[in-house]
Amino acid sequence: MLNVINKARPIGVFDSGIGGLTVVRQLISELPNENIVYFGDTARVPYGSKSNSTVIEYSLQNAKFLIDKNVKAIVVACNTASSVAIPALKEKLHIPVIGVIFPGAASAIDATKNNRIGVIGTRATITNKAYSEVIKSMNSGIEIFETACPLFVPLAEEGWTNHKATYSIAEEYLKDLRELNIDTLVLGCTHYPILSEVIQSVIGNNVTLIDSGVATAVAVKEELSKLDLLNSSSNKGEHSFYVSDVPTKFKEVAELFMGYEINHVSKIDLEILQKY
Ligand code: DGL
């Protein structure tokens, strides 16, 4: 009985904002019976242009908020937070912590045939060489080419998924990568799957796009199963959403990222986070 209760505890997911809903969408599709608590730090987004120490501090606060919700595992949906905060989170927390970098990197290695992988992400993710170091540690024979595409974040939030401005910015960002004969491109940011049509058309159809969120959902399932923590209930999971600010256009952007409407979101005070 105790174990059944333990397994029914929710999975906690945090992100710097709304972008992590692309990961929640994949989690729901892979693990439909799991309860999920999502926290988006919309008051302090973006993380992609902040220093590592600030991102680590915010990540610890976000994780503690989720721990108070009695989560059984934490998924760091944000690539920027995953690239710097995983060691600190693992040290402080006594539950599994799963970031998006490792599963995304492994999935890219599986996909490449010519051992030439491109990675795009926020400035922080690219400067930290988050993906390239993990890929190199798994297979030193792979060549990695990385480019920061910071403007993709506001374009995705604006819903400009097929806008000519998005095409021309993608042309600019991806023109060098296109010359490098990569056959796989990691979408190393929560927002980029929203722009995958544009990115695919600019980089070329012969390049496989890797959505880290898809790979992460599979990794979460594997980890929970290994620890015998998968929810044994056959009911559809319950999902709750918390944010530190409710931005204008929240509803539209959340729907775009999740694929369906979120009926209820709770706003929490930043002071609650800051006390941790
Ligand atoms: N969630 C961030 C990421 O995946 C993108 C937005 C931000 O810069 O905070 O890196």
Side-chain angles (χ1 to χ4, degrees), residues 14-16 39 41 44 47 51-68 71 74 76 78 80-82 84-95 97 268 270 272-276:
F14 80 80
D15 178 50
S16 54
F39 174 64
D41 194 6
R44 302 189 292 194
Y47 285 9
S51 69
N52 289 359
S53 59
T54 298
V55 174
I56 292 170
E57 188 190 328
Y58 289 177
S59 298
L60 288 168
Q61 293 174 351
N62 301 342
K64 296 234 175 69
F65 171 77
L66 292 171
I67 295 278
D68 282 356
V71 297
I74 286 188
V76 184
C78 179
T80 304
S82 293
V84 291
I86 299 291
L89 289 165
K90 287 199 165 162
E91 197 193 306
K92 287 263 159 62
L93 309 178
H94 303 291
I95 56 171
V97 176
I268 61 147
L270 262 186
I272 295 184
L273 293 178
Q274 282 156 349
K275 83 174 164 34
Y276 291 124

Side-chain angles (χ1 to χ4, degrees), residues 106-181:
S107 174
I109 293 173
D110 278 350
T112 186
K113 297 205 167 44
N114 72 356
N115 283 353
R116 295 173 74 80
I117 296 176
V119 179
I120 53 176
T122 62
R123 267 194 226 294
T125 300
I126 299 305
T127 311
N128 285 310
K129 300 200 163 300
Y131 279 96
S132 57
E133 277 176 13
V134 173
I135 293 172
K136 283 264 177 237
S137 74
M138 290 169 153
N139 183 336
S140 58
I142 291 183
E143 289 202 75
I144 304 133
F145 307 93
E146 297 178 286
T147 302
C149 304
L151 291 174
F152 281 175
V153 168
L155 288 168
E157 292 197 2
E158 204 50 42
W160 286 13
T161 53
N162 210 356
H163 194 285
K164 62 180 190 314
T166 311
Y167 277 94
S168 71
I169 288 167
E171 282 283 345
E172 190 60 36
Y173 278 147
L174 304 177
K175 66 175 190 277
D176 292 342
L177 272 182
R178 209 167 37 195
E179 302 306 315
L180 290 165
N181 189 31

